[in-house]
Amino acid sequence: MSPSPGETVFDKAAARIVRGVDELRTALAPHRRAGARIGLVPTMGFLHDGHVSLLHAARSECDVVVMSLFVNPTQFGPNEDLDRYPRDEERDLRLAAAAGTDLVFAPNIAEIYPDGAATTVEVDGGLTSVLDGDPSRRGPEHFRGVTTIVAKLFNIVGPDVAYFGQKDAQQAAVIKRMVRDLDFPLRVEVMPTVREEDGLAMSSRNVYLEAADRIRAVALSRALAACEQQALALDSLDAGLAAARIELAAAAIEPEYLEARDAETLQPVDRLGVGRPVLIAVAARVGGARLIDNVLIESIVD
Ligand code: AMP
């Protein structure tokens, strides 16, 4: 019998941890046969309330909640933070269980990329070569790493719904396009960005911020709020972006980019559209952390 959404099907005290692909498929098979709706929340661990919000969304809509916990090496560039990326599996398991997760899929690297793995999934269409995908930044290779691991997780878990965060707006747009183009039989849900009380977007990488930089980092969300407010007040994206730049400069932050783009196609836009949300995306290095954040400005209704 399949439980109703909101109920956990496995042990409530601790999410069950599964390391192998076959073991995961075996654990899910009876539930799938019984018609259970399976929700997947892909993560790289070191959970915070942003991750937990995705787990809660999955718990409220699905019969079985699977969280993957895998620091995916192929989405890190050679000079990025793979080696020092924060990890705490025990704490993650506790938080995942408390959020109602049934299964935590935490494979090792060889399980995911066995010797000879030679296939990747790449989304083009201008989505992966702009913003973070610009070759001078993380580059398209970053998104190739993301889409390859997410496609593999979709094939391993077979979810009905997969949950992602708006915090990583470009990633969400790229994954939605992949799902559409490759006909993955699932629905992608993108949940709002969860923030600290002062506005800083939650991120596992915030642990890299020293005290003074933690205070400066709030300028990113402040800049985005100013941008939205001014853009809407003056019906001008230029005015909004100028207001954002002032906030960043006041905190001595030089953004890697601060751009207005169509939220779905990621093409540049220069004015607020009618009927299409505009994504304002920012990335900046603040002390030891490279931070990204964004806001969606809904269209002005005529
Ligand atoms: P990560 O572990 O950083 O790869 O993130 C796993 C998922 O959590 C991704 O879909 C992220 O977009 C999402 N996520 C990360 N930070 C936040 C946040 N502050 N609010 C909402 N979702 C988030």
Side-chain angles (χ1 to χ4, degrees), residues 64-209:
V64 177
V65 176
V66 181
M67 181 184 95
S68 60
L69 195 179
F70 182 63
V71 181
N72 176 38
T74 67
Q75 70 190 69
F76 288 77
N79 300 317
E80 292 185 3
D81 55 344
L82 175 61
D83 291 340
R84 65 177 185 134
Y85 196 82
R87 296 160 209 244
D88 189 343
E89 188 176 280
E90 219 173 279
R91 178 173 167 276
D92 288 345
L93 290 178
R94 265 201 322 275
L95 290 174
T101 306
D102 295 303
L103 291 173
V104 174
F105 177 52
N108 61 32
I109 291 177
E111 183 74 7
I112 294 296
Y113 300 115
D115 277 351
T119 308
T120 56
V121 178
E122 198 166 328
V123 173
D124 186 3
L127 276 89
T128 57
S129 55
V130 299
L131 302 174
D132 264 17
D134 186 287
S136 70
R137 302 178 189 134
R138 304 195 77 180
E141 307 77 25
H142 162 68
F143 289 105
R144 187 172 61 212
V146 169
T147 41
T148 301
I149 185 63
V150 170
K152 283 171 67 70
L153 290 169
F154 287 172
N155 284 331
I156 292 166
V157 176
D160 298 279
V161 194
Y163 296 84
F164 295 89
Q166 177 62 27
K167 159 80 178 11
D168 298 279
Q170 185 172 13
Q171 171 175 285
V174 168
I175 288 167
K176 277 185 174 173
R177 185 68 68 90
M178 175 186 80
V179 164
R180 193 198 74 179
D181 290 352
L182 296 184
D183 305 292
F184 279 102
L186 55 89
R187 180 162 61 84
V188 170
E189 277 291 332
V190 181
M191 306 304 294
T193 301
V194 176
R195 298 178 179 282
E196 303 285 357
E197 251 173 45
D198 62 6
L200 177 67
M202 290 195 182
S203 164
S204 306
R205 290 189 166 96
N206 290 349
V207 293
Y208 300 151
L209 292 167

